[in-house]
Amino acid sequence: MFKSVLVANRGEIACRVFRTAKRMGIRTVAVYSEADAGAPHVREADEAVLIGPAPARESYLDGAKVLAAAKTTGAEAIHPGYGFLSENADFAEAVAAAGLIWIGPDPKSIRAMGLKDAAKQLMIEAGVPVTPGYQGADQSEETLTAEAARIGYPVLIKAVAGGGGKGMKRVDDPADFAAGLASAKREGAAAFGDDRVLIERYITRPRHIEVQVFGDRHGNVVHLYERDCSLQRRHQKVIEEAPAPGMSDAVRAAVTDAAIKAARAVDYVGAGTIEFIADASDGLKANGVWFMEMNTRLQVEHPVTESVTGVDLVEWQFRVAAGEPIPLQQDEIRLNGWAMEARLYAEDPANGFLPSIGRLEHFVLPEDIRVDTGVEQGGEVSQFYDPMIAKLIVHEDTREAAAARLAEAAGEVEVWPVRTNAGFLKRCLEHPRFVAGDVDTGFIAAEEEVLQSPASDEAALAALTLIAEAALDDGAVRADPFSPWVGQPGLSYGMRLNAAPRSTVWARMDGAALSGEVEPASAGWRGPDGTMAGVGFDQVQVGDRLFGYQALDDGFILFVDGEARRVTPWRAATGGAGVAASDGALRAPMPGKIVAAPVEAGATVTKGQTVVVLEAMKMEHALTAPFDGLVESVAAVGDQVAEAAVLAVVKAPE
């Protein structure tokens, strides 16, 4: 076994690999960019090396700098994590050429499975069923358009070097094919340096099922059963589970056998995942599952497989890379219970799921489940990297218990002022269709209106009232007509004859008006210093529920079921922020680069028509016209823009 390992990655996966390395007595080396100088993965390593500025292309994607760091620190092996250089065959070769151990598959296997078109052809030759489609060399728009018509709409355009939903576009109407193709090519070129695409038939009720495989240099290949990753948003996985719901022994045997065939076809060594698409229109069937792609690395969702098999996949990676055989035979790998993982993203579901960046002034995660994270309170969510900030993982005896516990855990998340999808995750996990196992990749889109709308919560309003009671009792809010909280015009406040004092408190919670009568003597809450004064944090209990509370200078944040609800006094509340759509200004929701401007100044547009496309956080975001009108101005393609910058102005007709 090697004695030291450098992890060529950042965030939660770097921290995850370090945990196993330290347990095995292996010295750890971190690399980091200038933006990550204070990140947990840097502090947790035995040694850390700065490799460049914040942009990934100048740091984490620069293989020469990573190799130089390994040489400087005396690292014997390199673990790539996922993303960045993990599926870069040239880098894997460079690692071996430098005399280091590459903790991953052979470069030839990476190349064989790295391009989706070539991989599909290889799978056909190996007898693995594949989705009908086109993966030819002719990339002309005319040929691709004709092939899409032959396959039949809807179709899925996919970057051949893609992954993580990047460079992937669903097209339902032939009239939209050219625009979808152009966008997929741009994303493929930007994310992977390759704008080639393939086209597949789009399965209308698809399930995403994948099989964890493992190979060694002694000719052994095993599977560690399947995972279901069907709960997705824009082709990005949101919740993963193992085993897959509704999986029969016959279908499991068919899909795992196909996965083993796929791995053997490329002489696979190490951890990999064979991804399949299944037609869920009439339940899972052995002849209704097709090969989609292979990920030649450790997956983000590997903890659910670890939970149900009891296997440390990173330890297996280390042992196989060191030349050892796989520790277990196939008949020794057993399924135990049910595991689920939810990806906690720094994004705002109420604002189109746009990434939310900034300082994590308040960051609290559940303590009694497995949590993989690479950020901490006081840290920054950067514009330069993926917005996933944690993974919440549970393991229970049954699927129902796992879903309930994970929903509870998502509701315990407290993050401010960065927004997260925690409340959205909780609503997904509690949705009757999900609980029943009735899921497919279109679930979130079909139920989006319900999933994005937090329900009115009487317990949350009761918590607000208790906080107000404590505020009055402590004297931080005085019952006088000039208080921003108490005694609004037309409302009673103050003393009562033969009864305790009572006041009516008015406030806004996320802009919605709230009011309630409070009696200071009944308060059972105190802040950390015994008063409401100053900025601090504590919890308030209503019945058997605890609500997190973060005081602010102009109000407070009440954490309710994973949501950060901002509470402000009635007269202090603005009822919202930002520029109204009626002014016609399209502003950048975050820093980024203009990659397309389909219309020019002077053009006439209709409401909802794309005016400008911003690339940020590795994805494209289309800004559309808020109403019919005339484009007065539009930013130039290639411009780097700051958050809130005006990218275009649409003028309403006179």
Side-chain angles (χ1 to χ4, degrees):
M1 179 58 65
F2 44 84
K3 293 182 173 60
S4 58
V5 61
L6 180 149
V7 177
N9 218 295
R10 64 181 298 277
E12 64 88 13
I13 187 58
C15 295
R16 160 70 189 95
V17 175
F18 290 158
R19 285 201 303 272
T20 292
K22 291 183 178 182
R23 179 175 59 78
M24 297 177 68
I26 299 171
R27 186 172 68 90
T28 57
V29 179
V31 291
Y32 65 96
S33 70
E34 292 173 354
D36 282 340
H41 82 276
V42 176
R43 187 173 60 252
E44 291 181 13
D46 295 314
E47 190 171 355
V49 179
L50 174 65
I51 57 171
R57 292 186 183 279
E58 301 176 50
S59 51
Y60 297 108
L61 285 171
D62 192 325
K65 290 180 178 178
V66 173
L67 287 173
K71 182 177 181 180
T72 299
T73 59
E76 298 176 54
I78 291 181
H79 191 300
Y82 52 73
F84 294 138
L85 296 168
S86 63
E87 294 180 283
N88 186 313
D90 292 339
F91 179 67
E93 286 180 339
V95 170
L100 303 174
I101 295 172
W102 168 249
I103 304 176
D106 292 338
K108 64 181 180 65
S109 300
I110 297 175
R111 288 195 176 96
M113 288 299 199
L115 297 178
K116 290 180 171 61
D117 53 350
K120 286 188 68 173
Q121 186 59 43
L122 184 62
M123 292 301 99
I124 292 171
E125 295 168 3
V128 177
V130 302
T131 312
Y134 171 78
Q135 56 269 355
D138 187 345
Q139 292 284 300
S140 67
E141 184 174 337
E142 292 77 15
T143 295
L144 294 172
T145 301
E147 288 295 329
R150 177 186 64 81
I151 295 165
Y153 287 87
V155 298
L156 198 60
I157 306 171
K158 300 169 70 173
V160 300
K166 301 174 184 67
M168 188 181 298
K169 303 293 174 184
R170 172 181 171 175
V171 181
D172 296 285
D173 190 321
D176 299 326
F177 184 80
L181 176 63
S183 182
K185 282 180 167 290
R186 281 196 304 269
E187 284 191 3
F192 313 107
D194 190 338
D195 72 348
R196 291 176 297 156
V197 300
L198 59 82
I199 306 172
E200 291 179 346
R201 186 175 81 192
Y202 186 84
I203 309 301
T204 54
R205 277 215 67 192
R207 287 266 300 275
H208 182 131
I209 295 174
E210 59 189 33
V211 177
Q212 178 72 59
V213 295
F214 226 103
D216 63 25
R217 298 198 180 280
H218 302 273
N220 301 307
V221 179
V222 299
H223 69 80
L224 291 94
Y225 300 97
E226 80 282 353
R227 299 183 290 254
D228 190 296
C229 306
S230 298
L231 219 67
Q232 301 180 7
R233 188 187 63 77
R234 298 176 188 169
H235 307 294
Q236 287 276 13
K237 298 169 186 174
V238 176
I239 294 171
E240 303 101 346
E241 58 183 304
M247 177 65 71
S248 68
D249 290 341
V251 177
R252 176 173 288 130
V255 74
T256 54
D257 179 65
I260 294 292
K261 283 182 181 178
R264 289 194 181 280
V266 292
D267 300 320
Y268 199 76
V269 174
T273 299
I274 313 295
E275 301 197 346
F276 297 89
I277 188 168
D279 186 349
S281 59
D282 190 27
L284 294 177
K285 290 182 168 51
N287 63 354
V289 184
W290 301 280
F291 171 86
M292 188 164 56
E293 63 185 4
M294 182 178 191
N295 287 296
T296 53
R297 53 173 168 80
L298 195 67
Q299 290 280 89
V300 175
E301 58 272 21
H302 76 272
V304 296
T305 294
E306 293 184 323
S307 297
V308 295
T309 62
V311 169
D312 183 330
L313 291 174
V314 174
E315 178 180 342
W316 278 28
Q317 284 187 298
F318 286 168
R319 294 195 180 282
V320 167
E324 298 180 17
I326 295 170
L328 296 176
Q329 299 296 314
Q330 186 65 69
D331 60 3
E332 297 176 300
I333 303 171
R334 305 283 167 73
L335 275 173
N336 174 34
W338 212 287
M340 285 188 183
E341 172 183 293
R343 301 190 187 192
L344 183 67
Y345 283 100
E347 62 184 11
D348 187 359
N351 191 24
F353 292 93
L354 289 176
S356 179
I357 61 177
R359 178 180 167 83
L360 294 163
E361 295 178 6
H362 182 73
F363 186 66
V364 176
L365 299 177
E367 295 182 349
D368 58 347
I369 64 167
R370 176 173 172 177
V371 175
D372 287 8
T373 186
V375 298
E376 61 189 354
Q377 186 162 295
E380 293 276 342
V381 177
S382 169
Q383 63 172 299
F384 296 102
Y385 312 117
D386 189 272
M388 188 181 75
I389 55 176
K391 300 184 304 195
L392 311 179
I393 306 107
V394 300
H395 182 215
E396 300 289 345
D397 292 337
T398 66
R399 186 176 186 274
E400 292 76 13
R405 181 65 192 99
L406 190 54
E408 182 181 23
E412 294 170 0
V413 171
E414 299 174 2
V415 182
W416 179 262
V418 170
R419 297 290 185 174
T420 77
N421 65 332
F424 177 82
L425 292 172
K426 179 177 173 65
R427 292 188 289 277
C428 286
L429 290 157
E430 293 177 334
H431 194 286
R433 274 188 59 194
F434 179 83
V435 173
D438 178 20
V439 294
D440 55 57
T441 59
F443 171 84
I444 287 178
E447 307 292 343
E448 192 164 10
E449 184 175 350
V450 173
L451 297 175
Q452 285 201 43
S453 303
S456 176
D457 193 321
E458 292 183 2
L461 303 186
L464 168 64
T465 303
L466 278 179
I467 293 172
E469 289 176 356
L472 290 172
D473 195 34
D474 290 335
V477 177
R478 295 178 302 279
D480 67 51
F482 302 104
S483 165
W485 294 91
V486 181
Q488 295 301 311
L491 296 171
S492 64
Y493 63 92
M495 297 295 295
R496 293 183 294 165
L497 293 175
N498 303 316
R502 179 177 65 190
S503 297
T504 300
V505 169
W506 275 85
R508 289 185 184 270
M509 183 183 288
D510 292 339
L514 303 172
S515 66
E517 291 186 345
V518 297
E519 300 182 14
S522 68
W525 177 93
R526 288 293 186 277
D529 59 355
T531 72
M532 275 282 291
V535 176
F537 170 77
D538 210 318
Q539 292 180 317
V540 58
Q541 184 163 355
V542 178
D544 60 354
R545 296 181 62 183
L546 282 174
F547 296 90
Y549 165 93
Q550 170 72 56
L552 304 174
D553 289 335
D554 62 344
F556 53 87
I557 302 299
L558 189 64
F559 295 103
V560 183
D561 294 337
E563 304 279 354
R565 314 292 292 273
R566 183 159 191 159
V567 182
T568 51
W570 176 267
R571 283 185 288 194
T574 61
V579 178
S582 59
D583 73 352
L586 305 183
R587 299 181 182 272
M590 68 197 76
K593 179 181 178 181
I594 304 300
V595 294
V599 299
E600 299 179 348
T604 300
V605 292
T606 58
K607 181 179 179 180
Q609 182 177 345
T610 298
V611 178
V612 65
V613 180
L614 178 73
E615 181 186 69
M617 305 289 280
K618 302 182 182 180
M619 298 291 282
E620 290 189 359
H621 307 277
L623 281 74
T624 61
F627 41 70
D628 296 350
L630 186 72
V631 178
E632 284 195 332
S633 63
V634 62
V637 173
D639 282 358
Q640 291 283 349
V641 297
E643 182 176 358
V646 176
L647 307 185
V649 175
V650 178
K651 183 179 180 181
E654 299 292 342

